[in-house]
Amino acid sequence: MATIRNTAHFPACLLAASLVFNVSVVSAENSVSEPKIRLLSNPSKNYSVHIGDQLNRKIVFDVPAPYQLVSTALPKKGTKDKGIELVAIRIETEQQKTSTTYTVDLSYQPFINANSPTVMQLPAEKFTFTGAEKSMAIALPAWGFWFSPLVTGGIETAIKSMQPEFRPPLVDISTHQTRLTIFAGMLIISLLTLLYMNADGQWLPFMGGAFAKAHRQLKRLSRTSAVKTTEDEKQALVYIHQAFNQHYGANIFARDIERFITLRPSFRKMKNDIEQFFNDSNQSLYAVETRDSAKIITNLVLLSKQLRDCERGI
């Protein structure tokens, strides 16, 4: 008999268990999380806002899967509402395992013509999310602030508030002018020195010495494309002999070298080279065998440059 009674109560127990399971499923479905605002940041102050000032709002959304932010429903850049313009909108997305974090930055600027402080507000915005075969929207409330004009009143007030022009004090630049003059003078002297030491042309009166002229003549002779002959070699020697004669005041020979150096001390460091030149000149005049005239002329070009440097006191 006990077994019969337990069997009779079995359908009732099964029905109760089914009801409890259905309630649990409905509760689980109702407990599915939805998008929400985690952070809302408004401008730091709501007063003394002037025309063109930038007001920034930042909203951070926590959006569980499978919801997604609808980009086509976002506020449009350039939208104007009662003197307020949305000048920039930036969105950052951080994807996680079971949710997505959206960070939305909105930048506004007020553009109105008001003569007195005015209450204004950043417009309310709406963000739409879709997913799980349904959609939902989160409203961002408007945010009020005091707009302050740059000048209160009309043109009469502006005229009364005008200040006379103030001439800024002069800066004493005499010290800088003196330094600039000194540096400019040093630069000019340096350039003239380099020109004097290295230039071949007779650009300045004191650059036209006898050896400077001989050096220019020898360079022109060495640059000719014709094959150098004995006559060219003798002509090159004549150029340097003429320069020595001009400095000495008469025809100079090997025996006169010491007296020449006494008269022109700047050539003393070239004494051995000068003696060698006179020896080579005598050999060239009386030599019978064939000589390398091109090489001799090249060497005379170098010698004339060294003699020109002595002439210029370098």
Side-chain angles (χ1 to χ4, degrees):
M1 293 296 293
T3 303
I4 294 174
R5 284 197 298 269
N6 289 339
T7 304
H9 289 288
F10 180 75
C13 293
L14 182 61
L15 178 62
S18 177
L19 291 175
V20 171
F21 176 77
N22 290 336
V23 170
S24 300
V25 171
V26 172
S27 300
E29 291 179 353
N30 292 335
S31 65
V32 174
S33 57
E34 295 179 343
K36 62 181 179 180
I37 297 177
R38 187 214 302 174
L39 173 67
L40 172 59
S41 175
N42 288 313
S44 58
K45 63 177 184 178
N46 61 354
Y47 58 90
S48 297
V49 177
H50 302 291
I51 185 171
D53 286 353
Q54 186 163 299
L55 303 173
N56 299 316
R57 303 188 81 180
K58 180 178 181 180
I59 313 99
V60 179
F61 295 98
D62 283 337
V63 182
Y67 285 101
Q68 297 289 331
L69 178 65
V70 180
S71 58
T72 56
L74 291 171
K76 302 298 182 183
K77 177 183 176 180
T79 304
K80 298 179 180 179
D81 182 17
K82 298 178 182 179
I84 302 295
E85 179 180 353
L86 179 61
V87 295
I89 177 171
R90 294 171 296 276
I91 301 175
E92 294 181 3
T93 303
E94 183 181 348
Q95 190 70 43
Q96 300 173 359
K97 291 183 178 180
T98 59
S99 63
T100 305
T101 300
Y102 294 96
T103 302
V104 182
D105 291 306
L106 303 172
S107 297
Y108 300 88
Q109 282 184 316
F111 292 100
I112 64 168
N113 183 17
N115 296 327
S116 60
T118 305
V119 176
M120 301 182 67
Q121 62 181 11
L122 301 183
E125 307 288 0
K126 185 172 68 172
F127 299 90
T128 304
F129 302 88
T130 59
E133 298 182 356
K134 64 177 182 178
S135 63
M136 66 167 296
I138 296 181
L140 181 67
W143 183 81
F145 62 93
W146 278 95
F147 175 82
S148 299
L150 296 178
V151 178
T152 59
I155 186 64
E156 296 81 6
T157 304
I159 293 175
K160 292 178 182 179
S161 302
M162 290 180 64
Q163 299 292 326
E165 294 185 0
F166 175 73
R167 177 174 294 180
L170 298 178
V171 178
D172 184 11
I173 61 172
S174 58
T175 303
H176 302 290
Q177 288 179 333
T178 302
R179 292 175 180 173
L180 179 61
T181 302
I182 293 174
F183 291 149
M186 294 174 61
L187 177 61
I188 293 173
I189 293 173
S190 300
L191 291 176
L192 290 176
T193 302
L194 290 174
L195 182 67
Y196 180 73
M197 293 173 60
N198 301 302
D200 292 333
Q202 189 177 346
W203 298 332
L204 297 175
F206 48 82
M207 294 174 62
F211 284 108
K213 180 180 178 181
H215 181 62
R216 291 195 296 271
Q217 293 171 329
L218 286 166
K219 287 182 68 175
R220 284 195 296 269
L221 180 62
S222 65
R223 289 172 181 170
T224 58
S225 58
V227 178
K228 302 300 181 293
T229 63
T230 304
E231 294 300 323
D232 295 328
E233 177 186 341
K234 291 180 179 180
Q235 183 61 54
L237 292 169
V238 168
Y239 289 147
I240 296 184
H241 276 294
Q242 288 175 343
F244 274 115
N245 294 340
Q246 186 173 343
H247 273 282
Y248 189 62
N251 291 334
I252 182 174
F253 300 97
R255 64 177 179 271
D256 301 319
I257 293 176
E258 188 62 38
R259 176 171 171 75
F260 171 79
I261 292 175
T262 303
L263 294 174
R264 297 286 189 269
S266 60
F267 290 87
R268 182 168 296 278
K269 62 183 180 181
M270 294 288 297
K271 181 179 178 181
N272 294 334
D273 297 295
I274 295 173
E275 291 176 347
Q276 184 64 43
F277 164 74
F278 277 94
N279 291 333
D280 293 341
S281 177
N282 290 333
Q283 292 179 10
S284 177
L285 292 174
Y286 302 108
V288 178
E289 68 278 3
T290 304
R291 293 159 56 88
D292 188 350
S293 299
K295 183 178 180 181
I296 292 174
I297 293 174
T298 301
N299 293 336
L300 291 177
V301 171
L302 298 176
L303 176 64
S304 64
K305 183 179 185 303
Q306 293 174 329
L307 293 172
R308 184 200 67 183
D309 292 343
C310 293
E311 180 180 61
R312 293 179 177 178
I314 300 174

